[in-house]
Amino acid sequence: MTSPTEISDRYDLTNGIFNAIATRYDRTNTLVSIGLNRFWQHKLIRQVQKVSHQKVLDLACGTGTLTRRLGKLVGAQVTGLDPSDSMLRKAAGRTPYRPNIVFQKGYAELLPFSDKSFQVITISYGIRNFADRDASFSQTLRVLEPGGKLFILEFSLKANAGAGMALQRFYIGRVLPLLGWLSTGKKDAYYYLRDSIASFPTPQTICRELEEAGFVQVAYTRLFPGVVVLFTGKKTGHDVL
Ligand SMILES: C[S@@+](CC[C@H](N)C(=O)[O-])C[C@H]1O[C@@H](n2cnc3c(N)ncnc32)[C@H](O)[C@@H]1O
């Protein structure tokens, strides 16, 4: 179990990092993912389109890139939640007024919503940063309606040592921090990104954690070219299809 001090230290670390890079975050994201970020989000959005999505929470929304795309789905009311003031400011500034999109400050470990508030929860590149993944998974389950769906995008390197993997590790280990540093001027933030990807648990471990939290139909798919994984899970109960 994560202690309150560890949680608070982690909040200080991640808020410091994301507040520092918020201004150049979107540009850098496009650069370091060679534009693939849009494609990976598209894969997630295709899944969201297949289920009832009137009430959507985009958790760890950052600058709101995914939140805005979800807000374009017919009938969707989307809440973007993030603890970083600077990321939220950027999100609000980049989002033309739409009554169906709201941004709110908060942490995944203690979601400021009543039980069963959402039909869909999305988290893109958030769980790697959470202070307490178990608590955040319990909270996402709590605020989902029965039958509601969770969709998570996250970086995840394969364990095998093929030539393709060596290239991916070289890219994540060397090229990504360098590009991030050059683009934002913040070296530490992109070393944090590299280290947090390298130390992230396997997809199988994340699936087990989701099941232990109470999710069912937990599965994952590796997205092209193999460094990003899309996880899905469901809260038991009536299917909100
Ligand atoms: C890599 S960014 C991803 C932003 C956005 N989802 C995207 O796809 O571009 C990670 C985000 O997680 C947020 N974050 C970090 N710790 C968090 C926590 N404990 N609860 C919720 N969000 C958190 C950060 O503030 C940051 O905006």
Side-chain angles (χ1 to χ4, degrees):
M1 202 177 133
T2 318
S3 74
T5 315
E6 284 170 320
I7 291 184
S8 148
D9 288 351
R10 182 77 181 174
Y11 284 172
D12 288 346
L13 174 77
T14 52
N15 282 332
I17 285 169
F18 289 105
N19 283 335
I21 63 171
T23 325
R24 304 240 168 114
Y25 176 83
D26 289 336
R27 186 184 82 172
T28 311
N29 225 5
T30 305
L31 180 72
V32 301
S33 72
I34 330 164
L36 283 168
N37 185 37
R38 272 193 78 75
F39 164 74
W40 293 326
Q41 284 188 349
H42 174 73
K43 290 283 185 188
L44 179 151
I45 291 166
R46 289 283 298 274
Q47 296 296 315
V48 174
Q49 280 177 312
K50 292 181 189 162
V51 299
S52 289
H53 51 259
Q54 283 78 40
K55 293 176 277 174
V56 181
L57 171 63
D58 183 29
L59 181 50
C61 65
T63 54
T65 321
L66 177 61
T67 326
R68 281 185 291 282
R69 292 181 77 179
L70 291 165
K72 289 184 181 155
L73 298 178
V74 177
Q77 289 286 335
V78 189
T79 301
L81 187 96
D82 200 280
S84 158
D85 290 319
S86 303
M87 294 294 260
L88 282 173
R89 240 189 329 271
K90 196 81 191 164
R94 300 203 99 198
T95 309
Y97 174 72
R98 292 178 71 109
N100 68 324
I101 301 179
V102 290
F103 291 103
Q104 194 173 329
K105 181 169 170 154
Y107 289 92
E109 291 78 7
L110 193 61
L111 292 175
F113 307 108
S114 341
D115 298 356
K116 307 178 192 168
S117 296
F118 300 99
Q119 294 164 322
V120 166
I121 298 180
T122 59
I123 313 174
S124 71
Y125 318 111
I127 60 169
R128 198 167 16 89
N129 306 291
F130 291 172
D132 184 339
R133 254 195 330 272
D134 290 345
S136 72
F137 289 162
S138 299
Q139 287 282 300
T140 50
L141 192 74
R142 178 182 69 74
V143 304
L144 269 178
E145 283 183 4
K149 298 277 171 65
L150 172 68
F151 300 101
I152 300 173
L153 276 178
E154 194 48 90
F155 285 105
S156 168
L157 296 176
K158 279 193 206 155
N160 64 18
M165 266 321 293
L167 192 64
Q168 285 177 14
R169 284 189 182 278
F170 175 73
Y171 186 81
I172 301 277
R174 304 284 171 141
V175 182
L176 181 146
L178 181 66
L179 289 178
W181 177 18
L182 292 176
S183 174
T184 61
K186 310 285 177 193
K187 185 159 74 169
D188 290 350
Y190 285 86
Y191 279 118
Y192 162 82
L193 178 61
R194 175 197 66 184
D195 295 343
S196 64
I197 293 174
S199 61
F200 192 67
T202 61
Q204 289 86 350
T205 303
I206 296 297
C207 287
R208 201 188 59 238
E209 289 177 4
L210 286 166
E211 283 166 353
E212 282 168 6
F215 282 95
V216 295
Q217 297 178 13
V218 173
Y220 78 90
T221 329
R222 227 170 240 290
L223 303 180
F224 174 83
V227 283
V228 165
V229 167
L230 174 59
F231 297 93
T232 53
K234 182 184 160 191
K235 180 169 176 172
T236 46
H238 274 301
D239 218 317
V240 288
L241 254 177

